[in-house]
Amino acid sequence: MLSLTGIFVNYGHVAAVRGVSLEVNEGEVVGLIGPNGAGKTTLLSAIAGVIRPERGDIQLLGETLLGKAPEKIVPMGISLVPEGREIFGTLTVEENLRLGATIRRRDPEVAGDIESMMERFPILGKYRGTHAGALSGGEQQQLAIARALLANPKLLLLDEPSLGLAPKLVDQVFDIVGQLKEDGVTVLLVEQNARRTLEFADRTYVLRSGEIRLSGTKKELSSMDNADFEHAFLGFHRGERQGESR
Amino acid sequence: MKHSNSPLLSWIGRRVWPLVALIVPLGAIALFGGTGSIVFQREVTTMMMYMVVVVGYYIFVGNSGVTSFGHISFMIIGAYTAALLTLTVQQKIILLPDLPSFLADVHFGFVGGALLGAVVAAVFAAVIALPINRLTGISLSLAMFAILLTVNVIVSHWTSVTRGVTSMFGVPQSTTLGSAFVFASITIVAAWMFQWTRVGLRMRAAREDEPAARAVGISIPRDRAIAFILSGFFVGLGGALFAQFLGAFNSDTFYISTTLLTIAMLVIGGFKSLSGAVVGTVFVSALDAGLRRMEDGFALGPLEVGSRPGLSAVGLALCMLLVLVFRSEGLTGSREIPSLWRLRRNETPPADTLPAPATDRKDVS
C-alpha cells in the first residue's frame, strides 16, 4: 500500500534519514521504533509532504507522493496525527472534528460520522462544546486521532501518540491503536515505547541514526535475543539484563 | 443565571446574542448622534462609515491573521465607482468630458452607487485574490501596500475618468447617519455569519496552527482568497459611502493616513475578533474627534491652550503604542462577547469565553 524506497532526507548538511526503504501493507499495523533523533518523525513528515526528501520515492497504491503539498496528500488517503497533538486549542472539540472532515466536502455522512466518533471516544462527546485546549493530554490525543480518522484515511500515520502521557493514559492510547487494528485501519505507528509497539504491531522496523537496523514480524522480533535487539536499537550492548528501552 | 440545555437557547446565546450586543449599542449611538449638532452628526456618520471599512478589513485580517497594508485600494475603487455612477449625466459632461460613453450615460441612485462601488471593488479583489494569497505573512502585507501605491498612481493620472489630483466634486451627498448605520449593521452581520461558515472555521484553524491545518487537508490560499473578495466588497462599500458623504474628494483622500487610521482602529480594538473591530472603531473615532476639536485650541478653566495642529495624529499613535505594549490583543483581548447563558457544568468552559492560548497572550487579566 505504502512503499518507501531509498529515502534520503537532509537538514542542511546533516543527513537525518539515509536510504530508508519500508513497506506497509493494507490492514497492517506497522511499528517504527528507535531512539531520539533516529529520524522517525522526519520520515513521517516526508510521507505527509511536510518536508521533501533529497532522494528516493514514496508511493501510495502505486502513485508517487513526492512534490505534493500536505493538503494534497490528505485527499489521497493519508492522515497524520502529528507529534505533540496539534489540535486547534481555541476551537471547540466539535469544530476540531468538523475540520477533520475538511476534505469530505458535501459528504452527507460527515455529521453521522462525527456523532459515531463521539460514541467511540465518549470523552469527546461529553466535551463537544468545550475548547479543545482545555482538554487533558490524553483527551487531546484522542481528539487528534478522531480528527485524523474523520478524513476516512486509507493509512493513518501516528507520531509518538504516547509521548508525554502518564502511564495509564499510555495504556489507553495503545488500546485505541488496538481497536483501530481490529477495525481494519492500516496504521504506521512511530514510537519510542519499543515494548508496547512490539506487542501491537504486526511488523516493526527499528530505525537508528537514519537507517533501518532491524525489521521483522512480531514473532521474529519477540523470539530474538534481547541483547541483539538492544544492540540494534541502541547501537551498543548494555550488559546482560536490562529492561526494554522505552 | 439559569442553565440552559436547549440547543435553540444555546444557539441564540452563542450566535445571536453577541451580534445583538454589538449592534444595539451602535444603534443607540446613532440615535444619540441624531440629536446632536450638525458637526456631531457628521462625526457619528463618519464613524459608521469607518465601521463598514474596518469590519470589512477585519473579514480578511481577523480571520487569516495576516495584515494587509493595502486594503484602502478597495476603498478608492469603491469611492470612484460610486462617484462616477451617481454624478448626473449633465455634470459628467462638464466635469469629465472625455469619459467613456458606458460611464458617461449612466446614472444611479444612492444605493445603486454604493452597491456597485462595492461590487467593482470585489471584482478587483477577485482578480488579485489568488496571486496575492499565495503569499503569506509580511510578504502579503507589503504586496498589498504595493497594490495601494499602484492604485493611487493610476487614479492620480487617469485624468479622463478620475480627474486625477484635482477634486472629483458634485457627487450627491446622500449618505445619511441612518443609512450609514444600516450599512454598518449589515457589514457586522455579514462578518459574523462568515466567521461561522466552513470557510471561516477553516481560516480560524489555519490562523492558529498552519501546519496542523494543512495536515487535515485545508487549502489555505483558497480559503483566504474567498475572505479577501468578501473583504474587498465591504471595504469598497465603505469607500462608496464616503464618496457620497463627502461630495468632493481627490486621489489622496483615501490613502496612507486612511490606511493608518483603519489599522489603528482594528489593532486597538483587537484584530482577531469582530467585537474588537467594532469597539476599536468606536473608540478611535471618539478619540480622533475629541482630539481634533482640541487641535483648534481650547480653554480648560482659566488655562487657555492654543492651537495644536497634529494633536490627533500624535494622540492616536500614542494610544496605539500603549495598546501594543500593555494589551497586545487589543481592548477586547481579541475575544468575542461571551454567550448569554452559562453552559452546563460538563460543558464548561464555554469556548467563546476562554482566553486565547497562553503563547500569544501578554496581558494579565
Side-chain angles (χ1 to χ4, degrees):
Chain A
M1 184 175 189
L2 177 79
S3 68
L4 277 67
T5 36
I7 294 293
F8 282 83
V9 183
N10 293 351
Y11 290 123
H13 293 295
V14 184
V17 171
R18 296 182 288 189
V20 168
S21 300
L22 63 81
E23 194 82 33
V24 181
N25 301 317
E26 191 158 359
E28 263 186 329
V29 173
V30 173
L32 181 62
I33 57 176
N36 250 337
K40 306 185 297 289
T41 298
T42 304
L43 210 52
L44 278 199
S45 305
I47 298 170
V50 180
I51 50 176
R52 210 189 156 143
E54 310 300 307
R55 269 194 279 158
D57 194 14
I58 305 174
Q59 292 194 337
L60 180 75
L61 298 167
E63 203 178 335
T64 184
L65 301 181
L66 287 188
K68 291 202 164 69
E71 62 267 28
K72 297 285 181 298
I73 287 179
V74 185
M76 293 178 69
I78 296 186
S79 277
L80 170 68
V81 180
E83 186 181 355
R85 313 174 279 275
E86 288 184 35
I87 52 146
F88 304 111
T90 60
L91 305 181
T92 64
V93 168
E94 193 173 354
E95 285 169 338
N96 267 275
L97 292 176
R98 272 173 58 199
L99 286 165
T102 295
I103 58 155
R104 296 164 63 193
R105 230 161 264 125
R106 292 191 189 83
D107 182 345
E109 286 171 22
V110 167
D113 285 356
I114 289 177
E115 290 307 317
S116 51
M117 207 53 82
M118 287 179 177
E119 279 163 30
R120 185 168 183 179
F121 303 104
I123 204 79
L124 302 182
K126 190 175 164 197
Y127 293 121
R128 63 192 301 162
T130 303
H131 238 258
L135 300 182
S136 72
E139 290 161 356
Q140 289 189 10
Q141 188 58 264
Q142 296 183 34
L143 176 58
I145 293 173
R147 191 182 67 188
L149 287 175
L150 277 165
N152 277 348
K154 297 180 186 122
L155 171 67
L156 189 67
L157 308 178
L158 284 171
D159 195 359
E160 306 217 11
S162 73
L163 188 76
L165 295 182
K168 207 176 124 195
L169 294 175
V170 173
D171 290 345
Q172 213 178 27
V173 166
F174 275 98
D175 283 347
I176 292 169
V177 177
Q179 219 177 51
L180 295 178
K181 186 175 153 185
E182 274 170 34
D183 295 351
V185 182
T186 310
V187 179
L188 179 56
L189 172 66
V190 162
E191 263 297 340
Q192 281 198 55
N193 194 331
R195 187 174 54 84
R196 301 298 300 271
T197 306
L198 288 172
E199 271 171 32
F200 270 94
D202 300 313
R203 285 187 302 120
T204 300
Y205 291 88
V206 179
L207 191 67
R208 181 167 53 80
S209 308
E211 289 172 40
I212 302 275
R213 302 291 167 151
L214 187 65
S215 69
T217 61
K218 192 192 284 188
K219 217 179 212 166
E220 288 165 1
L221 291 179
S222 56
S223 64
M224 231 178 115
D225 184 54
N226 231 352
D228 286 347
F229 179 76
E230 263 178 28
H231 184 258
F233 194 92
L234 297 165
F236 54 87
H237 287 285
R238 285 200 303 182
E240 287 303 308
R241 268 304 310 161
Q242 187 79 50
E244 277 92 348
S245 169
R246 64 147 286 169
Chain B
M1 196 172 293
K2 273 275 159 225
H3 304 319
S4 112
N5 302 332
S6 133
L8 177 68
L9 282 179
S10 153
W11 182 80
I12 290 174
R14 288 184 61 199
R15 302 285 170 94
V16 181
W17 157 250
L19 208 49
V20 172
L22 289 177
I23 291 178
V24 168
L26 209 58
I29 295 175
L31 280 177
F32 180 64
T35 64
S37 66
I38 300 288
V39 177
F40 186 57
Q41 272 192 37
R42 285 186 70 84
E43 282 168 351
V44 177
T45 311
T46 305
M47 184 197 86
M48 292 298 174
M49 293 184 297
Y50 272 127
M51 189 68 77
V52 175
V53 174
V54 173
V55 172
Y57 180 51
Y58 159 79
I59 291 176
F60 178 74
V61 174
N63 289 303
S64 70
V66 182
T67 323
S68 150
F69 294 147
H71 256 56
I72 297 306
S73 49
F74 302 132
M75 202 178 165
I76 300 173
I77 291 167
Y80 275 96
T81 307
L84 289 172
L85 294 178
T86 56
L87 281 169
T88 61
V89 176
Q90 288 85 344
Q91 277 175 315
K92 278 189 264 198
I93 292 170
I94 300 161
L95 290 173
L96 299 155
D98 302 325
L99 202 62
S101 64
F102 74 96
L103 282 173
D105 301 338
V106 292
H107 177 251
F108 285 89
F110 166 65
V111 176
L115 291 183
L116 282 169
V119 167
V120 173
V123 169
F124 175 68
V127 170
I128 60 171
L130 274 176
I132 284 285
N133 284 287
R134 296 224 152 268
L135 307 173
T136 52
I138 194 73
S139 318
L140 188 148
S141 316
L142 291 177
M144 280 306 294
F145 190 63
I147 297 272
L148 173 63
L149 300 182
T150 312
V151 169
N152 176 266
V153 167
I154 291 172
V155 164
S156 317
H157 291 85
W158 197 5
T159 324
S160 64
V161 173
T162 64
R163 289 177 57 80
V165 287
T166 48
S167 280
M168 177 76 98
F169 63 90
V171 182
Q173 289 172 270
S174 1
T175 305
T176 60
L177 176 52
S179 55
F181 166 69
V182 169
F183 278 113
S185 306
I186 292 172
T187 311
I188 291 171
V189 172
W192 182 249
M193 282 165 62
F194 176 73
Q195 229 158 284
W196 294 105
T197 60
R198 275 186 223 188
V199 179
L201 177 64
R202 292 202 296 259
M203 285 185 76
R204 278 185 290 150
R207 182 186 76 192
E208 190 183 320
D209 190 338
E210 196 171 320
R214 297 181 75 192
V216 296
I218 294 172
S219 166
I220 296 173
R222 201 193 43 203
D223 288 342
R224 283 189 182 163
I226 294 169
F228 190 79
I229 296 167
L230 190 66
S231 183
F233 179 89
F234 283 106
V235 175
L237 176 66
L241 294 175
F242 262 104
Q244 301 188 69
F245 174 74
L246 298 170
F249 60 94
N250 69 9
S251 58
D252 283 343
T253 308
F254 312 111
Y255 199 31
I256 305 285
S257 59
T258 319
T259 302
L260 294 180
L261 183 67
T262 47
I263 291 178
M265 287 172 170
L266 189 56
V267 169
I268 288 173
F271 82 97
K272 282 191 229 157
S273 73
L274 176 60
S275 319
V278 173
V279 169
T281 306
V282 173
F283 179 81
V284 172
S285 295
L287 184 78
D288 193 48
L291 291 173
R292 262 175 209 287
R293 289 180 179 199
M294 283 196 253
E295 274 182 356
D296 304 333
F298 58 95
L300 227 156
L303 191 71
E304 279 282 342
V305 179
S307 148
R308 291 281 182 274
L311 186 66
S312 72
V314 173
L316 207 61
L318 197 65
C319 179
M320 191 146 152
L321 266 179
L322 288 175
V323 166
L324 287 175
V325 172
F326 293 107
R327 268 191 89 85
S328 61
E329 295 280 307
L331 294 175
T332 59
S334 281
R335 267 166 279 173
E336 298 296 359
I337 290 164
S339 166
L340 188 54
W341 337 98
R342 277 170 193 231
L343 298 173
R344 280 184 318 185
R345 193 176 54 85
N346 67 359
E347 286 175 338
T348 50
D352 292 348
T353 60
L354 257 195
T359 46
D360 52 23
R361 257 167 61 87
K362 295 193 180 79
D363 61 295
V364 183
S365 45

